[in-house]
Amino acid sequence: MTSSFPERSLTRAPMSQRTLFNTVMTVVAFICGVLALVPLLAVLSYVIIQGFSSLNPSIFFELPPKALQQGGGFGNAILGTLLMVGIAALISIPFGVLAAIYITEFSSAQVARWVRFAANVLSGVPSIIAGVFAYGVVVLTLVKLNLGSYSALGGGFALAILMLPIIVRTTDEALQLVSQDLRQASVGLGATNFQTVTQVVLPAALPAIVTGATLAIARASGETAPLLFTALFSNFWPGSLFEPTASLAVLVYKYAISPFKNWQSLAWAASLILVLMVLITSIIARWATRKKV
C-alpha cells in the first residue's frame, strides 16, 4: 500500500517560510535569554571582584572599626542577620504552613479565595510599609513597656511579615499539587482527615514547602528598609533581643555611602557575604526539590 502524500511533504525545506520563521524565533529567544543573564552576571562579577579584594578571615570575628581605622570586621552584623532571620522564620513558617493547610484542606472555597487574595496583596506591599507597621506594633509597644525601643525582636517581626505571604502561597500550591488519589486512598483505608493531612499530604508536599521557606528566608536576608525602622544598627555584639542589632543589609547601606575607604571596603565584603548567603539558601531549595511532589 503506497502513501497518498507526496514524498517531498515529509522533507524539511530549509528555505521555506515556516523553517525560516522557526530559525529566527529560536535565535531571538536565545539572544533574549543571554540578555536576561547579563545584568545578573554583571552584578555578581562586580560584587565578587570588589568583595574578594576586601575579604579576610578577621571580618567574621571582629567588630566594625572606627572611621579611617584599619582592620575590623562585621561579625556582629552576621550574627544579627542570622538572629533576626531566625526569629522571622520561627514566626512566619508555622503560621504560613498552617494557614495554607487550612485553606487547602479544611476551609470553604470562598474563605480560601479571600485568604489567597490577601496573601497576594501582602506579597506586593513595599517592604518599607512592613517596617513602618512593625515600628508601630513592636517598637512603640516596647517603649511603652520600658523594655527598649529598636530591637532584634522588632526586626524579626518585620521580616516575618515579608516572609509570610511567600510561605503561604508556595505551601498552598504545593498542597494542591498532591494528587487527590492519595487523599482518597488514605480515607478509604480508614484514616481521618487529620491523619491524611499529616501523614500523607504533608510528606508528599514537603520538598516544595522547604523550597518556599528557603526562598522567603533568602528574600528576608537582604531587606534593609524594615530594619531601619525596627532594629536600626549597632557596632557591638547582640546582647539581647530588646536592643538595637546590626545586620548585613543595614551595614552595607551605611558603609557604602560613607566617605571612608575602610568602611566602603567592609561594605563590599559584606555584600559578597550576603550574596553567598542567598546563594546557599537557593542551593538548599534546589536540593530539597530533587524529590518531586
Side-chain angles (χ1 to χ4, degrees), residues 55-69:
L55 205 61
N56 60 79
S58 64
I59 64 175
F60 296 98
F61 308 103
E62 297 183 5
L63 294 174
K66 298 180 180 179
L68 303 178
Q69 179 183 353

Side-chain angles (χ1 to χ4, degrees), residues 50-51 53-56 59 62-74 235 251-252 254-270:
Q50 296 290 339
S53 62
S54 307
L55 205 61
N56 60 79
I59 64 175
E62 297 183 5
L63 294 174
K66 298 180 180 179
L68 303 178
Q69 179 183 353
Q70 296 300 319
F74 44 80
N235 289 323
L251 182 139
V252 171
K254 290 175 63 68
Y255 284 8
I257 62 176
S258 70
F260 307 110
K261 294 296 183 181
N262 63 325
W263 283 4
Q264 294 176 5
S265 177
L266 283 179
W268 282 115

Side-chain angles (χ1 to χ4, degrees), residues 106-169:
F106 300 105
S107 71
S108 62
Q110 185 175 3
V111 173
R113 184 166 55 250
W114 279 108
V115 173
R116 292 185 181 114
F117 175 76
N120 291 333
V121 172
L122 184 60
S123 64
V125 172
S127 60
I128 193 170
I129 303 301
V132 173
F133 174 74
Y135 174 82
V137 172
V138 179
V139 177
L140 295 183
T141 301
L142 292 178
V143 172
K144 293 179 181 179
L145 297 176
N146 293 324
L147 294 176
S149 56
Y150 300 101
S151 63
L153 185 63
F157 180 79
L159 296 180
I161 297 174
L162 301 176
M163 292 172 58
L164 184 61
I166 300 175
I167 296 173
V168 172
R169 293 172 64 186

